[in-house]
Amino acid sequence: MGSGLSMNRQTAFWALLAPPLLFVGIFFVVPLLNLFWVSLHGASSSELFGSDLTGENYYRILTDSFYHTIILRTLWAGLSIMLLCLVLGYATAYVIAPLPPRTRLIMLLFLVAPLMVSNVIRAYGWIAILGRQGVVNSMLRSTGLIDGPLLLLNSFEAVAFGLMTILLPYMVVSIINALNAIDRQYIEAAQSLKANPFRTFIEVVWPLSSPGVASGTLLVFLLTLSAYVTITLLGGPRMKLLVSLVFDAVSGFRWPLAAALSFALLALALVVAGLILALLRPGRVQGRG
Amino acid sequence: MRGILIALTGFAYVVVLLPILIVVVTAFSASEFFAFPPKGLSLRWFEAFFASESMRGAFIRSLQIATISSMVATILGTMASMAIARRKGTLFNLVQGLFLAPLIFPAIVLGLSLLIFYKSIGGVPDFLGLVIAHCVLGLPFVVRSVTSSLLAVDPALEEAGQSLKASPIAVFIFIITPLIWPGMLAGGIFAFILSLGELNTALFLTGPGVTTLPIEIFSYLQFQGGQLVIAAASAIQVFMIIAIVLIAERLVGLKRIVRSG
């Protein structure tokens, strides 16, 4: 009877796990391995990729100064957006966190709901505001402050600012979760030891909120890497980041190069994720590091 | 200090909400070109939206893809969560990590890898290819929200069912489901919304004649600029999301919506 029941449970377990596991295996893991395989080949004019195994795509990315420029620019963009989001996001989370639960929830809803709106629409909103015929230019012109339109789009700054506004809610939500998990007694203890608010923040609140800061910055950086549409719409045709090169290679049917560039992008994601975790050590809060 | 913090918070809300608000207001303008505030109000751009075959087609296709992919993701995600929710150990952590990975995995790489994979196996219809991609992306939201619902279920209830000789299927239908359906629904709704607005995999997987609404908006912005019909298209998406959030608030509560973001 006992073994019959456990047999039954075992079957149920596999019946439940097999379909989703197969699905993710076939449509996530296998395509990635396949992508890596493709990246190890040369280009071919008739097939997806050439027949010889080669590291030339990676060699090119590592040695060509054009790629270095783009990778550095990508890192710089990711870093600026991360820092902008961190400052604004922390301030916002710090203000919202102590509010009564119902108010806090509604305040959060106004930040989370925009995440559900497609990024293409949110970027379009910035075009409507900052474009040649946009709100800012027409307002300035009607007041007579300027004669010709200011060029506010198609720049690195436009991309960094626009993406910051698109990704900011992720940072706020991550930090608020961490702030709300902090035991009030720690803060009261610091205050009873006569620490001023600034010291309390630096030595108690900030370290204890590091898991939220880590997950927020990580998420913002990773989403920056993929944001092709926002980068193209706000940065214009010349403001290219790594993801734009992946897309350009695909448009030119250079599949192996596109595949290798994707792995360069993944490597960048891994390195930065490692740095963020090493710097902020979120594990120490959960007692794991 | 307090003043600076509140000013920054206000700025954060303005930069997050203003672009969406401007697009929605612009959609109702009566003029031919963009002007803000709009000179006169009308519904002409909404009419133009539904009159355009490519826009209407993309809109309907987006709805179909979102419906199918979120339903499949809800079923697969619930199965996965049921199997691994209470299990511990490195192997189960790895399996769970695999299900959650698409949450943080650069979606552009997923899109390209699926495109090349489809080509390698001899081609997959664009519609099906998009459904699969959005299902992979929606799955982690379901797994996350159903797992947290399952962890809140008292195991004693399940054992009680078993000791009364209820089959695993009966236990699932009569005991587990009523307790976890808000989690399933929240995950499914989020997968649906995600699919409606998704760009990074759709960029690679849409083909001639088979686009989604966000990609249609993107190509309009890139090549035809200035046309206010895309403001109407955007406004329709925003209204749909507001409607879904209001319905979800009734069904599963505000807390779950905010958390699943």
Side-chain angles (χ1 to χ4, degrees), chain B residues 113-242:
Chain B
S113 72
L114 278 174
L115 173 66
I116 294 184
F117 177 67
Y118 293 159
K119 283 181 181 293
S120 307
I121 58 173
V124 166
D126 289 339
F127 186 88
L128 180 64
L130 281 161
V131 167
I132 291 172
H134 286 186
C135 196
V136 174
L137 288 172
L139 200 58
F141 291 99
V142 179
V143 170
R144 201 167 62 173
S145 110
V146 174
T147 301
S148 75
S149 291
L150 275 170
L151 291 178
V153 173
D154 187 347
L157 288 173
E158 206 176 329
E159 282 155 23
Q162 279 160 358
S163 69
L164 292 168
K165 303 239 186 320
S167 70
I169 295 170
V171 170
F172 176 70
I173 294 177
F174 296 111
I175 302 179
I176 310 284
T177 312
L179 293 169
I180 62 164
W181 76 265
M184 292 169 67
L185 202 62
I189 287 172
F190 209 82
F192 181 85
I193 290 174
L194 175 113
S195 167
L196 269 191
E198 206 277 336
L199 290 161
N200 293 332
T201 66
L203 266 177
F204 290 114
L205 301 175
T206 48
V210 189
T211 65
T212 61
L213 192 56
I215 297 296
E216 188 74 13
I217 296 176
F218 178 52
S219 45
Y220 252 75
L221 279 172
Q222 261 192 310
F223 304 116
Q224 288 163 284
Q227 297 248 13
L228 290 183
V229 66
I230 45 177
S234 307
I236 288 171
Q237 225 230 349
V238 173
F239 293 144
M240 279 180 55
I241 286 164
I242 294 173

Side-chain angles (χ1 to χ4, degrees), chain A residues 77-126:
Chain A
L79 199 70
S80 335
I81 295 165
M82 247 158 58
L83 285 176
L84 284 170
C85 279
L86 183 58
V87 172
L88 266 185
Y90 210 112
T92 308
Y94 200 82
V95 169
I96 297 179
L99 296 175
R102 184 76 195 168
T103 322
R104 186 172 68 214
L105 215 55
I106 290 168
M107 292 291 280
L108 267 176
L109 183 68
F110 278 100
L111 287 177
V112 173
L115 288 181
M116 303 175 184
V117 177
S118 184
N119 286 357
V120 72
I121 297 173
R122 302 174 72 193
Y124 173 46
W126 282 118

Side-chain angles (χ1 to χ4, degrees), chain A residues 78 81-82 167 214-227 243 265-274 276, chain B residues 101-108 200:
Chain A
I81 295 165
M82 247 158 58
L167 301 175
S215 68
T217 44
L218 204 66
L219 206 54
V220 166
F221 183 78
L222 291 171
L223 292 171
T224 301
L225 283 180
S226 271
V243 64
L265 192 137
L266 285 181
L268 204 62
L270 274 179
V271 169
V272 172
I276 290 174
Chain B
L103 275 181
I104 53 163
F105 192 82
I108 207 101
N200 293 332

